[in-house]
Amino acid sequence: MKQAVASKQAVGNEGATGGKTAGDRVLIFDTTLRDGEQSPGCSMNLEEKLQIAQILEEMGVDVIEAGFPIASKGDFEAVQAVAAKVKAARVAGLARATRRDIDRAAEALKGAAGPRIHTFISTSPLHMKFKLQMEPEAVHQAVIDSIGHARNLCDDVEWSPEDGTRTEHDFLCRCVESAIKAGAGTINIPDTVGYTIPEEFHALIAMLKNRVPNIDKAVISVHCHNDLGLGVANSLAAVQAGARQVECTVNGIGERAGNAAMEEVVMALRTRHDAMPYHCGVKTELITKASRLVSAITGFSVQPNKAIVGANAFAHESGIHQDGMLKNAETYEIMTPESVGLSRSKLVMGKHSGRHAFKAKLEEMGFRLADNEIEDAFVRFKDLADAKKDVYDEDIIALVDDAVLRHNDRLRFLSLQVVCGSKGPQTAELEMEIDGETCKAKATGNGPVDATFAAISQLFPHTASLQLYQVHAVTQGTDAQAEVTVRLEEAGKTVNGQGADHDTLVASARAYINALNKLLVKREKTAPSVMSA
Ligand code: KIV
Ligand code: ZN
């Protein structure tokens, strides 16, 4: 798979400086498909990963980390499929510092136009002693050996000292220097546990630049987790100290509290170019589309007040703000909705809205759907508009999320009839499709939701336990759609399912079935254990 250096430079946007100096270029490394998928409760199937990879490529992301090939057959196949499809971005596969992991990553990346092996090992005293149970000397040797092996298989190798921000400086410098000598072209410093603060992280990157003699032979990258809510701030501080690659995820999803949010990093660089004179190649106008796609696929809704992509990010509630906005939008808006792919016009939808208006509305809201998906969503929209006078943007988001992105599901909701009320017993009659076959069940329960879930379990027996059942009204009014979240747990694996409908019980059934579909994907994944080098 060794690639000529010329082809390496042809992939990704490294060369596209748009008249600015190459030194100011910040590479965007998106790890939504790898670290993002490690979010508790998250799982994506191959088709969903391809959809996300496609929009990331369109956005102009430089590197797409597609997965951890050794983790499971599903991960391997997803990396392979993304590698085969993506042409304009480099595709990375993660590997621990073992030959087996690295071989598997190289194998999965074979078809990539620009493959990258990303290998890592812990370097902090805590991780080396308790997690790896390895002496620092052995870890240092594993760094050299793993990178040497990876370089025999791939020209582009990235190395990460896991728990980098809690690593002793002398040891970090020694490992970084050896990693570069062994052939790593990118040195990624992870704040694995989201512990650092901006000033400290700035100083750490500056220290590496000052003390590692061969540091100018590699790109410095950063990978910040958000446990203290500082992922983006730390990433930007690192850029100001000389880092030129930022690892991030759409909507900030990822392990625990997540990773630095890509949309925040990118919009901060764009909006505050005066203070941070760096640029990246991301087309910010695709941010909303990417955010909605990731939210719909993962079932992780975006909090309304989330920066850049939250439903309220460009909404103005107070009279003073609205008045100011009417006079001059800049009074309360530091970036325009259009710059992230939102439109200012507000088409109101109702039962008389036709297919054409619906399509225009989807486009205005940043959805990018195939014709058959638009048709599916339109059918659901018509049903909803019959039951509900005004259809709001939030309704359409819930509907598209629920109706469109379920193509590969093995289990499908068909119909539900429930008897409920104070006289009991509450019963549910459910019709479901399992692997293409229609099946029916009738169950009683302690309330209508319990009866509905019991009917699902009758048709699809499983051992998962219900961890969370949450109902949220998408809009106001008694005819509002219900958006239900169901969290299931099985053998330490959790998944979140979502469903929306103007009937709360139908939404509940959809959410439960969605969670089971995600569990089926997740069952195939085995968490890679701590490495032994
Ligand atoms: O957070 C972390 O340390 C990681 C590494 C694998 C880069 O995700
Ligand atoms: Zn991480």
Short mmCIF file of all heavy atoms in Angstrom, two decimals, residues 371-418:
data_model
loop_
_atom_site.label_atom_id
_atom_site.label_comp_id
_atom_site.label_asym_id
_atom_site.label_seq_id
_atom_site.Cartn_x
_atom_site.Cartn_y
_atom_site.Cartn_z
N ASP A 371 -34.11 11.45 -3.60
CA ASP A 371 -35.52 11.57 -3.99
C ASP A 371 -36.43 10.61 -3.22
O ASP A 371 -37.51 10.98 -2.78
CB ASP A 371 -35.68 11.32 -5.50
CG ASP A 371 -35.17 12.52 -6.29
OD1 ASP A 371 -34.92 13.58 -5.66
OD2 ASP A 371 -34.99 12.39 -7.51
N ASN A 372 -35.98 9.36 -3.06
CA ASN A 372 -36.84 8.40 -2.34
C ASN A 372 -36.99 8.78 -0.87
O ASN A 372 -38.04 8.56 -0.25
CB ASN A 372 -36.32 6.96 -2.49
CG ASN A 372 -34.93 6.80 -1.92
OD1 ASN A 372 -34.14 7.74 -1.89
ND2 ASN A 372 -34.61 5.61 -1.45
N GLU A 373 -35.95 9.40 -0.31
CA GLU A 373 -36.04 9.83 1.08
C GLU A 373 -37.01 11.01 1.22
O GLU A 373 -37.79 11.09 2.16
CB GLU A 373 -34.65 10.24 1.59
CG GLU A 373 -33.70 9.06 1.69
CD GLU A 373 -32.26 9.49 1.98
OE1 GLU A 373 -31.88 10.62 1.60
OE2 GLU A 373 -31.53 8.69 2.56
N ILE A 374 -36.97 11.92 0.23
CA ILE A 374 -37.90 13.05 0.25
C ILE A 374 -39.33 12.51 0.17
O ILE A 374 -40.23 12.96 0.89
CB ILE A 374 -37.62 14.02 -0.92
CG1 ILE A 374 -36.25 14.68 -0.73
CG2 ILE A 374 -38.73 15.09 -1.03
CD1 ILE A 374 -35.81 15.54 -1.87
N GLU A 375 -39.52 11.51 -0.66
CA GLU A 375 -40.86 10.93 -0.83
C GLU A 375 -41.34 10.31 0.49
O GLU A 375 -42.47 10.55 0.93
CB GLU A 375 -40.79 9.87 -1.94
CG GLU A 375 -42.11 9.48 -2.54
CD GLU A 375 -43.00 10.67 -2.93
OE1 GLU A 375 -42.49 11.63 -3.53
OE2 GLU A 375 -44.21 10.62 -2.61
N ASP A 376 -40.47 9.54 1.16
CA ASP A 376 -40.83 8.93 2.46
C ASP A 376 -41.20 10.01 3.46
O ASP A 376 -42.19 9.92 4.17
CB ASP A 376 -39.64 8.15 3.05
CG ASP A 376 -39.39 6.85 2.33
OD1 ASP A 376 -40.21 6.49 1.45
OD2 ASP A 376 -38.36 6.20 2.62
N ALA A 377 -40.36 11.04 3.49
CA ALA A 377 -40.60 12.12 4.47
C ALA A 377 -41.89 12.86 4.13
O ALA A 377 -42.63 13.28 5.03
CB ALA A 377 -39.42 13.08 4.47
N PHE A 378 -42.18 13.00 2.83
CA PHE A 378 -43.39 13.73 2.42
C PHE A 378 -44.65 12.97 2.87
O PHE A 378 -45.61 13.58 3.34
CB PHE A 378 -43.37 13.93 0.90
CG PHE A 378 -44.54 14.76 0.42
CD1 PHE A 378 -44.65 16.10 0.78
CD2 PHE A 378 -45.52 14.20 -0.37
CE1 PHE A 378 -45.73 16.87 0.35
CE2 PHE A 378 -46.60 14.95 -0.82
CZ PHE A 378 -46.70 16.29 -0.45
N VAL A 379 -44.61 11.66 2.75
CA VAL A 379 -45.77 10.85 3.20
C VAL A 379 -45.99 11.07 4.69
O VAL A 379 -47.11 11.32 5.15
CB VAL A 379 -45.53 9.35 2.88
CG1 VAL A 379 -46.59 8.47 3.51
CG2 VAL A 379 -45.46 9.13 1.37
N ARG A 380 -44.91 11.03 5.47
CA ARG A 380 -45.03 11.26 6.91
C ARG A 380 -45.51 12.67 7.20
O ARG A 380 -46.29 12.93 8.10
CB ARG A 380 -43.67 11.03 7.61
CG ARG A 380 -43.22 9.60 7.72
CD ARG A 380 -43.96 8.81 8.80
NE ARG A 380 -43.85 9.35 10.14
CZ ARG A 380 -42.89 9.04 11.01
NH1 ARG A 380 -41.96 8.19 10.66
NH2 ARG A 380 -42.85 9.56 12.21
N PHE A 381 -45.01 13.63 6.41
CA PHE A 381 -45.41 15.03 6.60
C PHE A 381 -46.91 15.20 6.38
O PHE A 381 -47.60 15.87 7.14
CB PHE A 381 -44.60 15.93 5.66
CG PHE A 381 -45.21 17.28 5.44
CD1 PHE A 381 -45.18 18.23 6.46
CD2 PHE A 381 -45.85 17.59 4.25
CE1 PHE A 381 -45.77 19.47 6.28
CE2 PHE A 381 -46.44 18.82 4.07
CZ PHE A 381 -46.40 19.76 5.08
N LYS A 382 -47.43 14.56 5.32
CA LYS A 382 -48.86 14.67 5.01
C LYS A 382 -49.70 14.11 6.16
O LYS A 382 -50.70 14.70 6.58
CB LYS A 382 -49.19 13.94 3.70
CG LYS A 382 -48.91 14.79 2.48
CD LYS A 382 -49.79 16.02 2.51
CE LYS A 382 -49.87 16.78 1.22
NZ LYS A 382 -50.51 18.08 1.37
N ASP A 383 -49.30 12.96 6.69
CA ASP A 383 -50.01 12.36 7.83
C ASP A 383 -50.02 13.33 9.01
O ASP A 383 -51.03 13.53 9.68
CB ASP A 383 -49.33 11.06 8.29
CG ASP A 383 -49.56 9.94 7.30
OD1 ASP A 383 -50.42 10.10 6.42
OD2 ASP A 383 -48.84 8.92 7.40
N LEU A 384 -48.85 13.92 9.22
CA LEU A 384 -48.73 14.83 10.37
C LEU A 384 -49.57 16.08 10.16
O LEU A 384 -50.28 16.54 11.06
CB LEU A 384 -47.25 15.21 10.56
CG LEU A 384 -46.94 16.08 11.77
CD1 LEU A 384 -47.24 15.33 13.06
CD2 LEU A 384 -45.49 16.53 11.76
N ALA A 385 -49.52 16.63 8.94
CA ALA A 385 -50.27 17.86 8.66
C ALA A 385 -51.78 17.63 8.75
O ALA A 385 -52.53 18.55 9.08
CB ALA A 385 -49.89 18.38 7.27
N ASP A 386 -52.22 16.40 8.51
CA ASP A 386 -53.64 16.07 8.68
C ASP A 386 -54.03 16.11 10.15
O ASP A 386 -55.15 16.45 10.51
CB ASP A 386 -53.93 14.66 8.14
CG ASP A 386 -54.16 14.70 6.64
OD1 ASP A 386 -54.43 15.80 6.12
OD2 ASP A 386 -54.05 13.64 6.00
N ALA A 387 -53.08 15.72 11.00
CA ALA A 387 -53.39 15.61 12.43
C ALA A 387 -53.10 16.91 13.17
O ALA A 387 -53.51 17.09 14.31
CB ALA A 387 -52.56 14.49 13.04
N LYS A 388 -52.41 17.82 12.55
CA LYS A 388 -51.86 18.96 13.27
C LYS A 388 -51.92 20.18 12.36
O LYS A 388 -51.49 20.11 11.22
CB LYS A 388 -50.38 18.61 13.57
CG LYS A 388 -49.67 19.45 14.54
CD LYS A 388 -48.31 18.78 14.83
CE LYS A 388 -47.59 19.53 15.92
NZ LYS A 388 -47.16 20.84 15.53
N LYS A 389 -52.44 21.31 12.87
CA LYS A 389 -52.67 22.46 11.98
C LYS A 389 -51.36 23.04 11.41
O LYS A 389 -51.18 23.12 10.20
CB LYS A 389 -53.44 23.53 12.74
CG LYS A 389 -53.87 24.70 11.91
CD LYS A 389 -54.86 25.58 12.68
CE LYS A 389 -54.95 26.94 12.06
NZ LYS A 389 -53.87 27.82 12.47
N ASP A 390 -50.49 23.44 12.32
CA ASP A 390 -49.23 24.04 11.86
C ASP A 390 -48.09 23.06 12.05
O ASP A 390 -47.93 22.47 13.11
CB ASP A 390 -48.92 25.31 12.65
CG ASP A 390 -49.95 26.39 12.37
OD1 ASP A 390 -50.31 26.56 11.19
OD2 ASP A 390 -50.40 27.02 13.34
N VAL A 391 -47.29 22.94 11.02
CA VAL A 391 -46.13 22.07 11.14
C VAL A 391 -44.89 22.97 11.24
O VAL A 391 -44.60 23.75 10.34
CB VAL A 391 -46.03 21.12 9.91
CG1 VAL A 391 -44.80 20.24 10.01
CG2 VAL A 391 -47.28 20.26 9.83
N TYR A 392 -44.21 22.88 12.38
CA TYR A 392 -43.06 23.74 12.64
C TYR A 392 -41.76 23.08 12.17
O TYR A 392 -41.72 21.87 11.93
CB TYR A 392 -42.96 24.04 14.14
CG TYR A 392 -44.18 24.75 14.70
CD1 TYR A 392 -45.16 24.04 15.38
CD2 TYR A 392 -44.35 26.12 14.52
CE1 TYR A 392 -46.28 24.68 15.88
CE2 TYR A 392 -45.47 26.76 15.03
CZ TYR A 392 -46.43 26.05 15.69
OH TYR A 392 -47.54 26.68 16.19
N ASP A 393 -40.72 23.90 12.14
CA ASP A 393 -39.40 23.37 11.76
C ASP A 393 -39.02 22.17 12.62
O ASP A 393 -38.49 21.17 12.13
CB ASP A 393 -38.32 24.45 11.94
CG ASP A 393 -38.39 25.51 10.84
OD1 ASP A 393 -39.35 25.46 10.04
OD2 ASP A 393 -37.51 26.38 10.80
N GLU A 394 -39.27 22.28 13.92
CA GLU A 394 -38.90 21.20 14.85
C GLU A 394 -39.62 19.90 14.49
O GLU A 394 -39.09 18.80 14.61
CB GLU A 394 -39.23 21.56 16.30
CG GLU A 394 -38.43 22.71 16.86
CD GLU A 394 -39.02 24.08 16.54
OE1 GLU A 394 -39.82 24.19 15.57
OE2 GLU A 394 -38.70 25.04 17.25
N ASP A 395 -40.91 20.05 14.03
CA ASP A 395 -41.66 18.87 13.61
C ASP A 395 -40.98 18.20 12.44
O ASP A 395 -40.89 16.97 12.36
CB ASP A 395 -43.08 19.27 13.16
CG ASP A 395 -43.97 19.63 14.34
OD1 ASP A 395 -43.92 18.90 15.34
OD2 ASP A 395 -44.71 20.62 14.25
N ILE A 396 -40.54 19.04 11.50
CA ILE A 396 -39.94 18.48 10.28
C ILE A 396 -38.61 17.80 10.60
O ILE A 396 -38.31 16.73 10.10
CB ILE A 396 -39.81 19.56 9.19
CG1 ILE A 396 -41.23 19.95 8.77
CG2 ILE A 396 -39.01 19.06 8.00
CD1 ILE A 396 -41.33 21.02 7.74
N ILE A 397 -37.84 18.41 11.50
CA ILE A 397 -36.57 17.79 11.89
C ILE A 397 -36.84 16.41 12.49
O ILE A 397 -36.23 15.41 12.11
CB ILE A 397 -35.79 18.68 12.90
CG1 ILE A 397 -35.36 19.98 12.25
CG2 ILE A 397 -34.59 17.93 13.47
CD1 ILE A 397 -34.79 21.01 13.20
N ALA A 398 -37.81 16.35 13.41
CA ALA A 398 -38.11 15.07 14.08
C ALA A 398 -38.59 14.04 13.05
O ALA A 398 -38.20 12.88 13.09
CB ALA A 398 -39.17 15.28 15.16
N LEU A 399 -39.41 14.50 12.15
CA LEU A 399 -39.99 13.62 11.13
C LEU A 399 -38.93 13.07 10.17
O LEU A 399 -38.89 11.88 9.88
CB LEU A 399 -41.03 14.46 10.42
CG LEU A 399 -41.88 13.99 9.29
CD1 LEU A 399 -43.18 14.77 9.35
CD2 LEU A 399 -41.20 14.25 7.99
N VAL A 400 -38.06 13.95 9.72
CA VAL A 400 -37.01 13.50 8.79
C VAL A 400 -36.07 12.54 9.51
O VAL A 400 -35.74 11.47 9.00
CB VAL A 400 -36.23 14.70 8.21
CG1 VAL A 400 -35.02 14.22 7.42
CG2 VAL A 400 -37.13 15.53 7.32
N ASP A 401 -35.68 12.91 10.73
CA ASP A 401 -34.79 12.04 11.50
C ASP A 401 -35.41 10.66 11.63
O ASP A 401 -34.75 9.64 11.52
CB ASP A 401 -34.58 12.59 12.92
CG ASP A 401 -33.70 13.82 12.91
OD1 ASP A 401 -33.24 14.19 11.82
OD2 ASP A 401 -33.49 14.39 13.99
N ASP A 402 -36.70 10.65 11.91
CA ASP A 402 -37.36 9.38 12.19
C ASP A 402 -37.67 8.58 10.94
O ASP A 402 -37.56 7.36 10.93
CB ASP A 402 -38.66 9.66 12.96
CG ASP A 402 -39.17 8.40 13.60
OD1 ASP A 402 -38.45 7.86 14.45
OD2 ASP A 402 -40.25 7.95 13.22
N ALA A 403 -38.07 9.26 9.89
CA ALA A 403 -38.58 8.54 8.72
C ALA A 403 -37.51 8.14 7.72
O ALA A 403 -37.62 7.11 7.07
CB ALA A 403 -39.62 9.39 8.01
N VAL A 404 -36.48 8.94 7.64
CA VAL A 404 -35.61 8.80 6.48
C VAL A 404 -34.38 7.93 6.73
O VAL A 404 -33.96 7.19 5.86
CB VAL A 404 -35.20 10.20 6.00
CG1 VAL A 404 -34.13 10.12 4.94
CG2 VAL A 404 -36.41 10.93 5.48
N LEU A 405 -33.85 8.05 7.94
CA LEU A 405 -32.54 7.44 8.14
C LEU A 405 -32.63 6.05 8.75
O LEU A 405 -31.86 5.67 9.61
CB LEU A 405 -31.69 8.37 8.99
CG LEU A 405 -31.43 9.67 8.24
CD1 LEU A 405 -31.21 10.81 9.19
CD2 LEU A 405 -30.26 9.52 7.30
N ARG A 406 -33.60 5.30 8.33
CA ARG A 406 -33.80 3.97 8.93
C ARG A 406 -33.78 2.88 7.86
O ARG A 406 -34.36 1.83 8.04
CB ARG A 406 -35.15 3.93 9.67
CG ARG A 406 -35.38 5.06 10.64
CD ARG A 406 -34.65 4.85 11.96
NE ARG A 406 -34.86 5.97 12.85
CZ ARG A 406 -33.90 6.79 13.25
NH1 ARG A 406 -32.66 6.63 12.84
NH2 ARG A 406 -34.16 7.79 14.08
N HIS A 407 -33.11 3.18 6.72
CA HIS A 407 -33.17 2.27 5.59
C HIS A 407 -32.66 0.86 5.86
O HIS A 407 -33.19 -0.10 5.34
CB HIS A 407 -32.38 2.84 4.41
CG HIS A 407 -33.08 4.00 3.79
ND1 HIS A 407 -34.41 3.98 3.52
CD2 HIS A 407 -32.63 5.21 3.40
CE1 HIS A 407 -34.75 5.14 2.98
NE2 HIS A 407 -33.69 5.90 2.91
N ASN A 408 -31.58 0.77 6.68
CA ASN A 408 -30.98 -0.55 6.85
C ASN A 408 -31.47 -1.29 8.08
O ASN A 408 -30.89 -2.29 8.48
CB ASN A 408 -29.45 -0.39 6.93
CG ASN A 408 -28.92 0.12 5.62
OD1 ASN A 408 -29.04 -0.55 4.61
ND2 ASN A 408 -28.39 1.32 5.63
N ASP A 409 -32.52 -0.79 8.68
CA ASP A 409 -32.99 -1.42 9.91
C ASP A 409 -33.54 -2.82 9.66
O ASP A 409 -34.30 -3.03 8.71
CB ASP A 409 -34.09 -0.56 10.55
CG ASP A 409 -33.52 0.70 11.16
OD1 ASP A 409 -32.27 0.82 11.18
OD2 ASP A 409 -34.30 1.54 11.61
N ARG A 410 -33.16 -3.75 10.53
CA ARG A 410 -33.71 -5.11 10.43
C ARG A 410 -35.12 -5.16 10.99
O ARG A 410 -35.94 -5.97 10.57
CB ARG A 410 -32.81 -6.08 11.18
CG ARG A 410 -31.55 -6.44 10.41
CD ARG A 410 -30.72 -7.42 11.20
NE ARG A 410 -31.47 -8.61 11.56
CZ ARG A 410 -31.09 -9.47 12.51
NH1 ARG A 410 -29.96 -9.28 13.16
NH2 ARG A 410 -31.81 -10.54 12.79
N LEU A 411 -35.38 -4.34 11.98
CA LEU A 411 -36.70 -4.32 12.61
C LEU A 411 -37.40 -3.02 12.22
O LEU A 411 -36.82 -1.95 12.31
CB LEU A 411 -36.58 -4.37 14.14
CG LEU A 411 -35.56 -5.34 14.74
CD1 LEU A 411 -35.59 -5.25 16.26
CD2 LEU A 411 -35.88 -6.75 14.31
N ARG A 412 -38.66 -3.14 11.82
CA ARG A 412 -39.41 -1.94 11.42
C ARG A 412 -40.77 -1.93 12.08
O ARG A 412 -41.45 -2.96 12.14
CB ARG A 412 -39.65 -1.93 9.92
CG ARG A 412 -38.45 -1.62 9.12
CD ARG A 412 -38.71 -1.84 7.64
NE ARG A 412 -37.46 -1.81 6.94
CZ ARG A 412 -36.84 -0.71 6.56
NH1 ARG A 412 -37.39 0.46 6.78
NH2 ARG A 412 -35.68 -0.76 5.95
N PHE A 413 -41.16 -0.74 12.48
CA PHE A 413 -42.49 -0.55 13.04
C PHE A 413 -43.52 -0.53 11.90
O PHE A 413 -43.30 0.12 10.88
CB PHE A 413 -42.54 0.79 13.80
CG PHE A 413 -43.91 1.19 14.21
CD1 PHE A 413 -44.46 0.77 15.41
CD2 PHE A 413 -44.68 2.02 13.39
CE1 PHE A 413 -45.73 1.14 15.78
CE2 PHE A 413 -45.96 2.39 13.76
CZ PHE A 413 -46.50 1.94 14.96
N LEU A 414 -44.64 -1.22 12.08
CA LEU A 414 -45.70 -1.13 11.07
C LEU A 414 -46.96 -0.48 11.64
O LEU A 414 -47.44 0.51 11.09
CB LEU A 414 -46.02 -2.52 10.50
CG LEU A 414 -44.91 -3.19 9.67
CD1 LEU A 414 -45.34 -4.57 9.23
CD2 LEU A 414 -44.56 -2.35 8.44
N SER A 415 -47.51 -1.04 12.73
CA SER A 415 -48.72 -0.41 13.29
C SER A 415 -48.86 -0.77 14.76
O SER A 415 -48.26 -1.74 15.24
CB SER A 415 -49.96 -0.86 12.51
OG SER A 415 -50.25 -2.21 12.85
N LEU A 416 -49.69 0.02 15.43
CA LEU A 416 -49.90 -0.21 16.87
C LEU A 416 -51.32 0.19 17.24
O LEU A 416 -51.82 1.25 16.82
CB LEU A 416 -48.90 0.63 17.68
CG LEU A 416 -49.04 0.57 19.20
CD1 LEU A 416 -48.61 -0.80 19.74
CD2 LEU A 416 -48.19 1.65 19.86
N GLN A 417 -51.98 -0.68 18.01
CA GLN A 417 -53.32 -0.38 18.53
C GLN A 417 -53.26 -0.62 20.03
O GLN A 417 -52.87 -1.71 20.47
CB GLN A 417 -54.31 -1.36 17.86
CG GLN A 417 -55.74 -0.88 17.77
CD GLN A 417 -55.84 0.41 16.95
OE1 GLN A 417 -55.20 0.54 15.92
NE2 GLN A 417 -56.64 1.36 17.44
N VAL A 418 -53.62 0.40 20.79
CA VAL A 418 -53.48 0.27 22.25
C VAL A 418 -54.81 0.52 22.93
O VAL A 418 -55.56 1.43 22.56
CB VAL A 418 -52.42 1.28 22.77
CG1 VAL A 418 -52.34 1.24 24.29
CG2 VAL A 418 -51.06 0.99 22.18
#
